[in-house]
Amino acid sequence: MLHLVSVLHFHLRHWPDAGNASIATIPMTFRIDRSVRQGFRVFTLSGRMEAEQVAELKGLFDRDYRNIILDLRDVRLADRNAVTFLRGCEADGMKLENCPAYVREWMDREKD
């Protein structure tokens, strides 16, 4: 089974530093795990999905979206660019698994 990991780093705005009461910035990760399941390429996503991550994902896909599954179980935050991208992927035949409810609702509202 093919299993590769791509990790992107970016910063969460503020997070309390354990060493003192001040506010510190810590890195947060967007992770892409790739695998193959029953002939489908599966991209399991986790973390925060924004425009930068959308560009990274586009670079990993070929033109035939019908053989790709995006597993969104661990996506914690998605911005408008990510939602627009996901909506387009689904419209082109890509399967979205474990889509967070707020992302699904946002995608449905954007259709109208």
Side-chain angles (χ1 to χ4, degrees), residues 3 5-8 29-33 44-48:
H3 188 76
V5 177
S6 176
V7 178
L8 303 171
T29 303
F30 177 76
R31 181 175 170 142
I32 305 166
D33 290 315
T44 302
L45 311 180
S46 60
R48 186 172 176 167

Side-chain angles (χ1 to χ4, degrees), residues 33-50:
D33 290 315
R34 297 190 295 178
S35 61
V36 176
R37 181 187 342 137
Q38 299 174 343
F40 287 92
R41 293 187 309 152
V42 180
F43 294 84
T44 302
L45 311 180
S46 60
R48 186 172 176 167
M49 190 174 174
E50 297 178 319

Side-chain angles (χ1 to χ4, degrees), residues 1 4 12 16-17 21 31 35 38 52 81 84 93 95 97 104 110:
M1 175 194 264
L4 302 171
L12 183 62
D17 183 62
R31 181 175 170 142
S35 61
Q38 299 174 343
E52 182 179 338
N81 291 319
T84 300
K95 182 175 179 188
E97 288 184 348
R104 174 58 63 196
E110 293 287 322

Side-chain angles (χ1 to χ4, degrees), residues 25-92:
T25 302
I26 62 166
M28 186 175 173
T29 303
F30 177 76
R31 181 175 170 142
I32 305 166
D33 290 315
R34 297 190 295 178
S35 61
V36 176
R37 181 187 342 137
Q38 299 174 343
F40 287 92
R41 293 187 309 152
V42 180
F43 294 84
T44 302
L45 311 180
S46 60
R48 186 172 176 167
M49 190 174 174
E50 297 178 319
E52 182 179 338
Q53 291 74 39
V54 167
E56 174 79 8
L57 279 169
K58 284 181 180 178
L60 298 175
F61 300 156
D62 59 21
R63 295 193 186 276
D64 185 9
Y65 282 11
R66 293 170 297 165
N67 68 347
I68 296 175
I69 296 171
L70 288 182
D71 185 343
L72 307 173
R73 177 186 330 254
D74 295 322
V75 170
R76 299 294 171 231
L77 186 64
D79 71 1
R80 178 177 293 279
N81 291 319
V83 170
T84 300
F85 169 72
L86 292 171
R87 200 178 95 231
C89 288
E90 191 171 55
D92 290 340

